[in-house]
Amino acid sequence: MDFDRYFTSQLDTLHQAGNYRVFAELERHAGGFPRATRHRADGSTHDVTVWCSNDYLGMGQNPKVIAAMKAAIDQCGAGAGGTRNISGTNHAHVLLEHELADLHGKESALIFTSGYVSNWAALGTLGAKIPGLIIYSDALNHASMIEGIRHSRAEKRLWRHNDPQHLAEVMAADDPSAPKLVAFESVYSMDGDIAPIKEILDVADRFGAMTYLDEVHGVGMYGSRGGGVAERDGLMDRVTIIEGTLGKAFGVMGGYIAGSRAVCDFIRSFSSGFIFTTALPPALAAGATASIRHLKQSQFERTAHRNNVAKFRAMLDARGIPHMRNPSHIVPVMVGDAKKCKWISDILLDTYGVYVQPINYPTVPVGTERLRFTPTPMHSDGDLRHLVESLCDLWSQCALSRAVA
């Protein structure tokens, strides 16, 4: 078999469908978020404004976070030295886990190298090690949750997205004595919708199931201390395991779970994804700890963020640019055509200095292609005006339909 020829043919199909992924080469400006320098393939550069970062609150540029990371490097050096099992648990890891447990009102927490790994490792371990466990997974759960469940080889049931009634019907069809786990997210990142957490927990309680809530797009953003949607709704104590990330609103890198001392120790002791992975560098742990502590106390970032999201939506409405209605901070602007979505993204970057990635199949269904905007507290009113006027120009050039007010 000519392997390179096969690889090339498969890549060609992505190009033809408009689904080939191109990574923009960007250099973020310290202290200047959301500004960045784009490096072109020909060696030239130009400045852009980033509109699709998951650093939702700009905490990756926060002076407290940067100072904590620099201090940790000066004190501990660059790396962790290996796995926590072999090289030891750095004191910065322990402090971070204590901070996370406190954030979610849980007995314990366990950190991983990313949110993807924490989902894969935790769900994979629970499914593999609890005899006869049935995992009930929301139909739109993230790929990391799907992979963890698949890896576990546990029995899996899909229930319709954000539909507690269907969940109850699916659970009722199984053996009442079988151990059960319900896995779902709080904020779904592509549509920006929010789960009916209380109703889902009510169903899980009725059937004696554990619950696993992915709050990666909620932590830092919601709740009086940034504990997520479950904190905002007063439900954290009812969730068995809360999973989150340090790489979005907290602005650094890593993932974690929080729960009882027993469940965290169970996953720590049996998860290959934890045991055999090099630990987070102490500097990252220290930066995440500083970010969490700041957002526990400060409402400024969350308030400014909500205001900018509301302004952006109102400006889109005024110009008839269609966007998906949802109660979260994620603003999907709907294009509905893969090639046009990619073309608009390219022109925004090349001509208007606006960086936003196109979201095409298989991330979203065909016909729902979109530009996923995440306004931050650092975007100015001028940034917002420039973005909306740029979209308005391109909407006319592409002859795309406009929303009716």
Side-chain angles (χ1 to χ4, degrees):
M1 182 177 186
D2 186 336
F3 291 107
D4 276 353
R5 183 176 179 180
Y6 172 77
F7 299 149
T8 300
S9 70
Q10 293 299 300
L11 292 169
D12 286 344
T13 63
L14 290 179
H15 281 288
Q16 291 164 11
N19 292 330
Y20 181 76
R21 299 173 190 266
V22 177
F23 297 160
E25 185 179 344
L26 303 181
E27 184 179 350
R28 284 164 42 118
H29 296 170
F33 183 78
R35 307 290 175 244
T37 296
R38 181 209 181 184
H39 293 259
R40 290 190 176 97
D42 63 5
S44 64
T45 63
H46 68 115
D47 287 344
V48 300
T49 301
V50 178
W51 279 100
C52 54
S53 174
N54 284 341
D55 187 0
Y56 294 135
L57 301 177
M59 291 301 293
Q61 306 285 317
N62 185 279
K64 293 180 182 177
V65 174
I66 293 172
M69 294 183 73
K70 287 180 177 178
I73 287 177
D74 289 340
Q75 183 174 355
C76 302
T83 68
R84 290 169 69 173
N85 180 51
I86 298 296
S87 300
T89 287
N90 191 279
H91 184 56
H93 299 146
V94 176
L95 294 178
L96 174 55
E97 287 172 344
H98 287 168
E99 205 67 44
L100 289 164
D102 174 77
L103 176 66
H104 293 294
K106 299 297 184 184
E107 291 179 340
S108 189
L110 190 66
I111 57 173
F112 297 82
T113 49
S114 73
Y116 192 105
V117 172
S118 57
N119 270 334
W120 179 86
L123 287 168
T125 301
L126 292 168
K129 293 295 183 180
I130 299 176
L133 182 70
I134 303 173
I135 300 178
Y136 301 84
S137 178
D138 184 287
L140 293 188
N141 274 344
H142 189 264
S144 58
M145 301 175 77
I146 295 168
E147 285 298 321
I149 296 167
R150 180 182 295 135
H151 175 74
S152 76
R153 299 185 179 180
E155 288 287 328
K156 181 183 77 170
R157 309 282 188 263
L158 286 181
W159 46 286
R160 286 192 296 269
H161 177 55
N162 280 349
D163 188 340
Q165 182 175 345
H166 187 239
L167 170 62
E169 293 170 4
V170 173
M171 296 185 80
D174 281 319
D175 181 353
S177 65
K180 299 174 176 66
L181 182 150
V182 177
F184 63 109
E185 302 180 40
S186 61
V187 181
Y188 288 83
S189 64
M190 288 301 110
D191 290 352
D193 54 334
I194 293 179
I197 298 176
K198 179 184 181 300
E199 290 78 7
I200 293 170
L201 295 177
D202 287 344
V203 173
D205 288 348
R206 192 191 321 163
F207 290 92
M210 292 190 296
T211 48
Y212 185 100
L213 176 61
D214 178 315
E215 281 264 35
V216 296
H217 293 279
V219 290
M221 304 296 295
Y222 302 92
S224 61
R225 301 197 308 157
V229 179
E231 183 197 24
R232 183 197 68 181
D233 295 348
L235 298 168
M236 287 196 300
D237 61 311
R238 295 184 56 191
V239 181
T240 311
I241 299 172
I242 295 175
E243 185 269 346
T245 183
L246 306 170
K248 292 184 170 63
F250 293 131
V252 192
M253 178 185 173
Y256 66 89
I257 59 168
S260 70
R261 189 170 290 106
V263 74
C264 289
D265 197 16
F266 180 84
I267 293 169
R268 181 193 69 88
S269 299
F270 289 104
S271 172
S272 63
F274 176 82
I275 296 168
F276 299 109
T277 299
T278 298
L280 282 178
L284 288 176
T289 299
S291 181
I292 294 164
R293 286 176 178 169
H294 175 80
L295 290 175
K296 281 179 177 178
Q297 304 296 325
S298 174
Q299 298 300 323
F300 172 79
E301 291 82 5
R302 285 187 285 273
T303 300
H305 182 274
R306 286 194 297 270
N307 291 340
N308 265 1
V309 171
K311 286 179 188 177
F312 182 42
R313 289 188 182 277
M315 294 169 74
L316 291 173
D317 286 340
R319 302 308 297 268
I321 304 297
H323 58 98
M324 188 174 288
R325 307 289 173 176
N326 63 53
S328 77
H329 56 284
I330 295 166
V331 185
V333 168
M334 307 307 292
V335 178
D337 179 278
K339 291 184 178 179
K340 287 183 178 180
C341 196
K342 177 69 168 61
W343 183 83
I344 290 172
S345 172
D346 288 344
I347 298 300
L348 283 172
L349 182 60
D350 291 336
T351 305
Y352 295 91
V354 168
Y355 173 60
V356 61
Q357 273 290 82
I359 307 295
N360 292 339
Y361 179 83
T363 306
V364 296
V366 173
T368 69
E369 293 82 3
R370 67 200 63 180
L371 302 169
R372 178 184 177 274
F373 291 96
T374 53
T376 74
M378 285 71 180
H379 286 98
S380 68
D381 288 350
D383 292 332
L384 288 164
R385 286 192 297 271
H386 175 67
L387 171 60
V388 174
E389 290 304 318
S390 302
L391 287 171
C392 199
D393 289 348
L394 294 177
W395 234 250
S396 297
Q397 291 182 44
C398 283
L400 291 168
S401 61
R402 295 185 182 254
V404 178

